Amino acid sequence: MMPGLYKRLSSALAYQCDRLAARDRYDLASIALFAALIALVFATFDSYAITNDEAVQQRYGEMIVAYYTSGFKDRTLFHFVNLYLYGGLFDVTAVLTQRLLPAIEPYTIRHILCALTGLGGIVAAWATARLVAGPRAAAIAAFALAVCGPWYGSIFNHTKDIPFAAAMMAATFFLLRMSRDLPRPRWSDVIWFGVFLGCALGIRVLGLLLIGYAALAILISGPRWRGNWRNAFEFSARSITALLPAFLIGYAIMLLAWPWSALSPLNPIRGLIDFGAFHYQIRTLLDGQVYEMANVPRWYVPAYLLYKVPLIILTGAIVALGFIMWPRDGKSTEALRRRNETLLLVAIGVFPVLCQVIDRGPAFCGLRHFLFVVPVFTALAGIGFDTALTQLGALRPWLSRAAGLAIVGWLTWNTGLLIALHPYQYLFYNPLVGGLPGASGRYVGDYWVTIMPEAVTDLEAYIAKIDATGDHPQRYTVAVCGDRLPFEKEANSRLQWVSDWSQAEFFIAPTHMNCDRALSGNEIVRITRLGVKIGVVKDRRDLLTTAIAGWP
């Protein structure tokens, strides 16, 4: 019996080895990357802080669940800050998962779910590049997005921007697949496009962009209108009819995840208009100048894209655009298809930014609200570099190999930067602005106050040394330039949050917008990355003692 079992196991192992050997080496590299990223998520999720927005988003998810479980009687969600203007798909998913896993801390679940969704965005960018240009382009795109600081540094706790971006990228992939078969796309592609359209709309109303992208895909894929308008019109009409089920699926998911959108058919449009008119007392930085969010210059978002997206992604995307404008791959059907799909991706990546520039809408937090274009540019980078390597290989094979090694070296250098920044990868800036040292004080820093876990840990260690010299450990008051919840989730019972900063014995603050200068004190902890101070902890006990002694 044992020899037979051994033989079967050997045959199964040999079969799997043959399957692996048959796979493309770039696909194998991508699979290894995905596995490593999953392991990294579970190994490091507890290093990332709760952000200032997460408490209200968690509460919003609970309110949506209460709305449905009460039979639509609990309507508090429609009056909760401005959250009703957003879909709550991720928040509801997190709340339901928390109820299934009550032993796990709620924000731990949020961070793991968000991180896995972010990895899904990397897979979607990989799949898109692979669809257009093959496994090598896909591998370049996947590795580039994985070592993109604004992306990887956000996947754990940007619980609205990352899920939205991942849904947009996944919908883009299925849109490209559908465009190949128009006017009769495969039902599976139509359904999946509808699902991810609904997921995007169930988070942010900007998911409506996908409807416009679908129209553009029909225009690019169909016959030319000049001199052939009858066939072009028939093609467009049949294509729109074929996509109607996707729009209905997306609409249904949106209604479920975004209850306010179900109150009136025009509410999604109202939400889009309201977003363009947001005017809060929020300040932001650009080139050392402080602006109110409603008064930022038109070049605010393009500047942050230019300075925060790694140069390897920007360069590859520009190369892809260059091959569209000056094609060198002939006029075959395959070459034309590749150029058209690349052109569609360029439009998907550039159009939202162009709208922001033209409309001069409100903006803050740097690149955060436009993270959803980063995976698109990354897919373009993979396509651009793959085309360049192919062209170089046709001229001189050694040129292609040298360029490939340069790309690997570039990605490795980026990886080293992210390791040095951990867990503050979202503070990444590229060399165009001098990296983080050049951007410090001139562009947005740690606006989410993600220094909290490290700051609290260092403060607790400092207090432990103080109390080691005394007989009775005591409690200490702490002021925080940030929200209360992230602090209290990290601090032990001996650290007490206070709203009256003047009574605080210790002060925790990031250096963003000079918040560290809001209170005086002896700097006992300095949190730095790449030689840049990004946060501090100050001991103010001597100042309080002096103030009390001088009281009349």
Side-chain angles (χ1 to χ4, degrees), residues 509-527:
T511 56
H512 173 62
M513 299 292 289
N514 295 322
C515 199
D516 57 314
R517 302 179 186 177
L519 285 181
S520 301
N522 178 33
E523 192 175 291
I524 58 171
V525 173
R526 174 177 292 198
I527 300 170

Side-chain angles (χ1 to χ4, degrees), residues 24-353:
D24 186 275
R25 58 178 175 170
Y26 295 107
D27 281 343
L28 291 175
S30 298
I31 292 169
L33 171 68
F34 300 147
L37 288 173
I38 291 172
L40 199 58
V41 163
F42 285 97
T44 64
F45 68 86
D46 58 349
S47 300
Y48 294 84
I50 299 171
T51 63
N52 297 340
D53 272 4
E54 284 191 82
V56 292
Q57 290 172 2
Q58 169 71 16
R59 182 67 186 125
Y60 183 51
E62 294 167 351
M63 288 178 174
I64 294 177
V65 173
Y67 175 68
Y68 285 117
T69 56
S70 68
F72 310 113
K73 294 178 181 178
D74 187 341
R75 302 172 66 85
T76 54
L77 78 161
F78 299 123
H79 311 285
F80 183 56
V81 201
N82 68 345
L83 268 292
Y84 66 91
L85 293 172
Y86 294 89
L89 181 63
F90 178 84
D91 304 312
V92 169
T93 303
V95 169
L96 295 178
T97 306
Q98 290 159 9
R99 295 185 179 184
L100 288 174
L101 303 170
I104 303 178
E105 208 279 328
Y107 289 93
T108 294
I109 290 176
R110 287 183 66 91
H111 286 186
I112 292 175
L113 282 178
C114 192
L116 294 177
T117 304
L119 298 192
I122 296 176
V123 173
W126 169 84
T128 301
R130 194 181 192 282
L131 179 68
V132 176
R136 181 171 62 185
I140 294 172
F143 278 89
L145 190 53
V147 299
C148 173
W151 183 264
Y152 187 84
S154 303
I155 64 173
F156 291 90
N157 48 22
H158 284 48
T159 55
K160 193 169 294 296
D161 307 297
I162 288 294
F164 175 72
M168 291 289 285
M169 193 69 241
T172 297
F173 167 71
F174 285 105
L175 177 60
L176 286 175
R177 280 174 59 104
M178 288 192 306
S179 69
R180 293 186 171 188
D181 300 318
L182 291 174
R184 298 181 62 184
R186 287 176 290 184
W187 273 104
S188 59
D189 292 338
V190 172
I191 291 171
W192 280 112
F193 175 72
V195 168
F196 287 110
L197 168 64
C199 289
L201 286 169
I203 299 170
R204 288 174 65 185
V205 71
L206 280 179
L208 288 171
L209 287 169
L210 288 165
I211 298 174
Y213 299 155
L216 182 59
I218 293 172
L219 183 64
I220 291 175
S221 302
R224 294 186 177 182
W225 284 77
R226 180 178 295 180
N228 196 25
W229 67 268
R230 190 182 300 275
N231 289 338
F233 179 81
E234 182 182 352
F235 178 91
S236 299
R238 292 174 62 192
S239 297
I240 292 170
T241 302
L243 294 185
L244 281 178
F247 299 145
L248 293 175
I249 292 170
Y251 188 69
I253 295 174
M254 178 192 73
L255 294 181
L256 288 172
W258 186 14
W260 185 73
S261 70
L263 298 183
S264 170
L266 293 179
N267 271 359
I269 304 301
R270 293 190 184 105
L272 187 63
I273 295 171
D274 286 348
F275 275 123
F278 270 3
H279 298 293
Y280 297 120
Q281 297 302 312
I282 296 177
R283 297 184 302 162
T284 188
L285 271 172
L286 180 65
D287 196 24
Q289 180 71 39
V290 177
Y291 295 94
E292 295 289 334
M293 62 173 284
N295 300 318
V296 296
R298 297 180 190 275
W299 57 283
Y300 180 91
V301 171
Y304 273 101
L305 276 169
L306 187 64
Y307 297 148
K308 286 195 71 69
V309 175
L311 286 180
I312 189 170
I313 295 176
L314 295 176
T315 302
I318 292 171
V319 170
L321 180 60
F323 281 115
I324 293 175
M325 298 176 67
W326 299 283
R328 299 176 60 87
D329 51 358
K331 297 183 179 180
S332 66
T333 302
E334 178 65 19
L336 182 61
R337 175 199 59 77
R338 180 165 172 161
R339 287 199 296 272
N340 284 343
E341 291 177 350
T342 305
L343 178 62
L344 180 59
L345 286 174
V346 170
I348 291 172
V350 171
F351 180 74
V353 181

Side-chain angles (χ1 to χ4, degrees), residues 46 48-52 54-55 58 62 98 102-111 449 452-454 456-457 460 480 483-493 495-497 508:
D46 58 349
Y48 294 84
I50 299 171
T51 63
N52 297 340
E54 284 191 82
Q58 169 71 16
E62 294 167 351
Q98 290 159 9
I104 303 178
E105 208 279 328
Y107 289 93
T108 294
I109 290 176
R110 287 183 66 91
H111 286 186
V449 198
M452 195 66 71
E454 185 173 352
V456 170
T457 298
E460 288 173 346
V480 176
D483 281 11
R484 181 173 186 170
L485 177 70
F487 168 76
E488 293 188 336
K489 287 290 184 181
E490 299 292 339
N492 60 29
S493 59
L495 298 179
Q496 180 181 353
W497 184 90
I508 295 174

